[in-house]
Amino acid sequence: MSTAMRRALKRAADGKTLDATEAEVLLGASGDALTALMATAARVRDQGLADAGRPGVVTFSKKVFIPLTRLCRDRCHYCTFATTPGRVHSPYLSPDEVLEIARQGAALGCKEALFTLGDAPEDRWEAARQWLEEAGYDSTLDYVRAMSIRVLEETGLLPHLNPGVMSWQDLQRLKPVAPSMGMMLETTSRRLFEEKGQPHFGSPDKDPAIRLRVLEDAGRSNVPFTTGLLIGIGENLVERADSIFALRRIARQYNGIQEVIIQGFRVKPDTAMRNDADVPLDEWLAAIAVTRVVLGPRVRVQAPPNLVDLAECRLLLDAGIDDFGGVSPLTPDHVNPERPWPQIDDLRAVTAAAGFELRERLTAHPEYLREPWLDPRLISHVEALLDPATGLADEAALPAGLPWQEPDGGWDSVGRTDLHTAIDTEGRRTETRSDFDAAYGDWDVLREDVEARRAVDAAAGVPERIEADVKAALAAAERDPAGLSDAQALTLMTSTGPALDALAGIADELRKATVGDDVTYVVNRNINFTNVCYTGCRFCAFAQRRTDADAYSLSMDEVGQRAEEAWVIGATEVCMQGGIHPDLPGTAYADLVRAVKDRVPDMHVHAYSPMEIVNGSVRTGLSIEEFLISVKEAGLDSVPGTAAEILDDDVRWILTKGKLPTASWIEVISTAHKVGLPSSSTMMYGHVDAPHHWVQHLRTIAAVQDRTGGFTEFVLLPFIHQNSPIYLAGVARPGPTYDENRAVHAMARIMLHGRIDNIQCSWVKLGVDGCVAVLNGGVNDIGGTLMEETISRMAGSKHGSRKSIAELTAMATAAGRPARQRTTTYGEVPSRPALELA
């Protein structure tokens, strides 16, 4: 035994955190070293079972396999599941065939319907495209969703979906119909993907970067996810260790990986790898044991029992697994059809001989059978099969179909409390949301991530101060404001002292030349119709779980009444946004608009962030464009470009757990502009970001505007830290500095010159003095009267929740400028009786 092996074994046995090099050494363990490694892995597993409240209990899921389609656009060299259209009777199983398999499984006491299928076969096979078109489905994933609902309603089996690579939007669409999903990572080796002749060459969905992104998106979306590695397909030990650590990183950051399968490669005839060898058993056992030690006690580790002889299942247990995965009394393993399932009674006996009890679980492990992991529409289906005492399956329960549907009764059936009883007199919530850890993820991991990024940002964030460079950048800003290089923009974005004063002067001259001296404002009311949300924005102090004491939702009538009250005292706009409520019907968004328009036909409705629009699209089954057209037809006039935060995914995934990616934000906003809905654009800054992120955010906004021309304004939103979870957890800094506020507002004017004429500051976040400062540095608009601002107030803003017209006018006067009321889209306000906002 080598010195390196002895050292790695000792560190593992002592509970030390292993690095990738040590894991690589242990992956090569055999003989006595493998025995010692497996003993350590078993102790880690046992601790995890004790921590979970079920010591000595090993689990499996009783399931049926539903091979919805065996067509695939990939060409994996070891796969016998994927085939060609000529070798199957139909590109897809029919609904009757799907339901027949599910019904037979339910009669045998199965509780899970595992949907197996190839990746996007319609992209490769005309037969698949034609079948879907004739059946009335836009895609394979649409058909998967429809069949999942049929299975839930007609058999009661719980779908587990393995459709391969999914987008963030796909995960949102499928989560309401399946308690869990999965996709094997297999390996992070780019060599096996990029080099001709390697097993993943020519398979676009086997790009490791894409598959890792799916795992991350699933975690961000609170989707319980099964993943794993395929051992022995040509990866070396360095690549194998890298794959294990990639899984550890994602499991720690999002807690969304419910189980990791370590599957050994088995040679199959009629494949490109038919002359390769099975992975040796010792090599497979070492991979299981190292995975268990590296991932730790919390993650469930699984190995398929049919890929070894029954007697060897004892070795899988000795190596540290705590789950055998899906075992079917009805259907074969369609991925490994040559390997029949063991009889469950035989597997139970082997498990007992190893000192464990084998228990049946549901498709999701116990800790994931609750919100936010479990969509509310699936609760009744899960509870019908659940043993509430253990969180495992009620083994005596036989599935029976139950209705699956959007919430009954529409939005007005949702429980409500009055908005003003939900927050205390200083605008703070009375307690944190009850699902704090599940909603936000692992704060310790996040802190580690942020500390590492800050070192990188520090190097990129503040350029060396050379007077000649500052002067050159200022001269370039005067000469060609929108043509600044990134280096020049970063130099000016970090200005202080006289350089910052000069920058503000340049911005203010541009403002004057572009829009004149008027300081504009809109008379509006904010209507935050619910604060119940499961997105998990770590900066948000507004969101609550629906069962929390501080949760509230307004009725349609209350929304209409608030709009009418605003109109009576002079408002021309209501701005409506709310949390992503799990019980919100997709049609509620259009109904909320109608609730306003029915009371006040001439009121401008400015509503729904891109996140809400995606949610509405998912819940209605409409495309984003179709959904936007539907709410526009209901009376929606424009869209707030909120939910932007910083348009950089590295920053976004620190700020939020489940919010939409940058590309999706751009897609939604661009589509809104396409269908004739103008929007604002925003940036929230001063948290875990750095000045170079601000520069690139402005570049992104400019690029969208160049394509669509739909932005009416750019709104700067300084981070309010006081009650923000990400600040209270010690991750974010306490907002931007005074100089940063001045610089960011000035640079927005300069970099967006010729594209977006109106630059707005937030009096809620900056206060009067802060707004006066930036009004003298490029800003021409101070937003709205609001009348009822909740989100910033609950985050800890001390600048109030409403301003009268007189107060807004006084703010402009303090900056030496006249004030003028405007419409939402910066037009002249139609004549109405003169009304003062009280």
Side-chain angles (χ1 to χ4, degrees), residues 604-732:
H604 184 108
V605 179
H606 182 64
Y608 308 138
S609 71
M611 184 70 196
E612 291 173 280
I613 290 166
V614 169
N615 187 49
S617 168
V618 166
R619 288 178 178 271
T620 57
L622 300 172
S623 69
I624 289 171
E625 182 171 350
E626 291 167 338
F627 176 78
L628 283 165
I629 290 171
S630 73
V631 287
K632 182 183 179 187
E633 290 173 347
L636 184 65
D637 297 297
S638 61
V639 174
T642 49
E645 283 75 70
I646 295 292
L647 294 174
D648 176 289
D649 280 344
D650 285 344
V651 175
R652 293 177 75 76
W653 300 140
I654 296 172
L655 282 175
T656 75
K657 183 181 175 186
K659 217 162 194 178
L660 71 174
T662 296
S664 297
W665 188 93
I666 293 170
E667 178 190 0
V668 171
I669 286 294
S670 299
T671 305
H673 296 172
K674 175 185 174 183
V675 303
L677 289 169
S679 79
S680 59
S681 53
T682 63
M683 181 174 79
M684 187 186 74
Y685 63 97
H687 30 74
V688 296
D689 50 355
H692 66 92
H693 294 123
W694 308 339
V695 171
Q696 292 309 315
H697 184 102
L698 288 166
R699 295 278 191 231
T700 301
I701 293 295
V704 174
Q705 185 72 338
D706 286 344
R707 291 193 300 272
T708 71
F711 289 132
T712 57
E713 62 198 346
F714 185 69
V715 186
L716 283 304
L717 303 170
F719 173 58
I720 301 297
H721 69 282
Q722 283 86 347
N723 297 342
S724 177
I726 198 169
Y727 172 74
L728 297 175
V731 177

Side-chain angles (χ1 to χ4, degrees), residues 7 38 147 167 187 311 316 387 456 492 553 577 755 782:
R7 180 179 183 277
M38 290 168 63
M147 290 303 97
S167 69
T187 178
L316 302 181
D387 174 6
V456 175
L492 297 178
S553 298
Q577 297 181 91
R755 293 182 170 101
I782 50 178

Side-chain angles (χ1 to χ4, degrees), residues 292-584:
R292 164 57 71 200
V293 171
V294 170
L295 266 58
R298 193 192 69 82
V299 176
R300 308 278 76 87
V301 176
Q302 176 192 129
N306 62 317
L307 296 188
V308 293
D309 294 336
L310 185 63
E312 292 171 329
C313 288
R314 168 65 184 264
L315 294 174
L316 302 181
L317 291 166
D318 291 345
I321 71 164
D322 51 21
D323 189 83
F324 281 115
V327 178
S328 180
L330 176 67
T331 53
D333 177 356
H334 288 282
V335 178
N336 299 282
E338 76 284 2
R339 304 291 305 192
W341 296 110
Q343 294 294 313
I344 293 173
D345 287 344
D346 293 340
L347 190 61
R348 199 181 303 275
V350 169
T351 305
F356 294 94
E357 178 188 2
L358 185 65
R359 289 288 306 275
E360 183 184 353
R361 62 167 172 86
L362 300 183
T363 176
H365 288 267
E367 57 267 43
Y368 296 97
L369 295 174
R370 61 178 185 265
E371 299 176 24
W373 302 104
L374 183 67
D375 188 279
R377 283 161 284 189
L378 295 169
I379 289 175
S380 61
H381 296 84
V382 167
E383 288 181 343
L385 303 175
L386 184 69
D387 174 6
T390 64
L392 299 173
D394 177 356
E395 298 195 14
L398 288 176
L402 291 170
W404 181 97
Q405 59 190 9
E406 297 290 352
D408 288 331
W411 178 239
D412 280 350
S413 68
V414 175
R416 298 186 299 276
T417 62
D418 184 79
L419 169 65
H420 300 293
T421 65
I423 51 180
D424 68 18
T425 55
E426 295 184 1
R428 295 186 294 265
R429 85 166 75 248
T430 58
E431 59 183 39
T432 59
R433 59 188 294 169
S434 59
D435 59 344
F436 193 85
D437 291 334
Y440 299 127
D442 192 312
W443 290 109
D444 290 334
V445 174
L446 200 66
R447 274 188 287 272
E448 294 172 11
D449 191 17
V450 169
E451 287 169 6
R453 292 177 189 279
R454 278 177 179 155
V456 175
D457 290 341
V462 181
E464 184 180 357
R465 288 290 165 198
I466 300 174
E467 186 176 355
D469 290 345
V470 176
K471 288 182 177 179
L474 287 168
E478 282 193 288
R479 182 176 62 254
D480 182 14
L484 289 173
S485 69
D486 284 352
Q488 291 168 332
L490 187 57
T491 295
L492 297 178
M493 191 71 83
T494 54
S495 297
T496 59
L500 178 55
D501 293 337
L503 176 68
I506 293 169
D508 216 40
E509 287 300 316
L510 281 176
R511 182 271 307 159
K512 185 174 183 178
T514 302
V515 294
D517 282 334
D518 286 351
V519 174
T520 51
Y521 63 88
V522 63
V523 178
N524 67 347
R525 181 174 193 170
N526 266 22
I527 303 177
N528 300 123
F529 52 86
T530 182
N531 70 343
V532 176
C533 188
Y534 284 86
T535 297
C537 294
R538 298 182 177 109
F539 60 85
C540 180
F542 173 73
Q544 290 278 276
R545 191 179 182 187
R546 62 177 173 168
T547 55
D548 290 343
D550 289 344
Y552 77 84
S553 298
L554 304 178
S555 69
M556 293 290 176
D557 186 64
E558 289 169 321
V559 168
Q561 180 181 344
R562 289 177 187 222
E564 187 172 6
E565 291 169 354
W567 179 262
V568 168
I569 56 176
T572 60
E573 171 199 301
V574 290
C575 178
M576 293 197 301
Q577 297 181 91
I580 307 301
H581 197 303
D583 293 337
L584 184 77

Side-chain angles (χ1 to χ4, degrees), residues 120-187:
E122 65 270 32
D123 288 354
R124 179 182 177 188
W125 302 108
E126 174 61 31
R129 285 193 295 274
Q130 183 176 344
W131 191 97
L132 290 169
E133 182 177 348
E134 291 175 355
Y137 298 100
D138 291 335
S139 67
T140 297
L141 291 184
D142 279 349
Y143 188 47
V144 170
R145 188 178 193 275
M147 290 303 97
S148 297
I149 294 172
R150 291 284 300 273
V151 165
L152 286 164
E153 290 194 322
E154 299 187 37
T155 74
L157 291 182
L158 303 176
H160 175 86
L161 308 182
N162 277 351
V165 167
M166 292 172 278
S167 69
W168 183 87
Q169 288 93 333
D170 293 333
L171 288 162
Q172 314 308 308
R173 184 91 174 112
L174 293 174
K175 178 177 177 176
V177 303
S180 60
M181 301 182 219
M183 181 201 70
M184 293 287 282
L185 172 61
E186 298 191 4
T187 178

Side-chain angles (χ1 to χ4, degrees), residues 741-763:
N741 283 329
R742 291 183 65 200
V744 167
H745 285 78
M747 287 302 293
R749 169 61 66 188
I750 289 168
M751 293 182 67
L752 297 176
H753 179 65
R755 293 182 170 101
I756 301 176
D757 290 343
N758 301 294
I759 306 299
Q760 182 185 122
C761 65
S762 171
W763 58 260

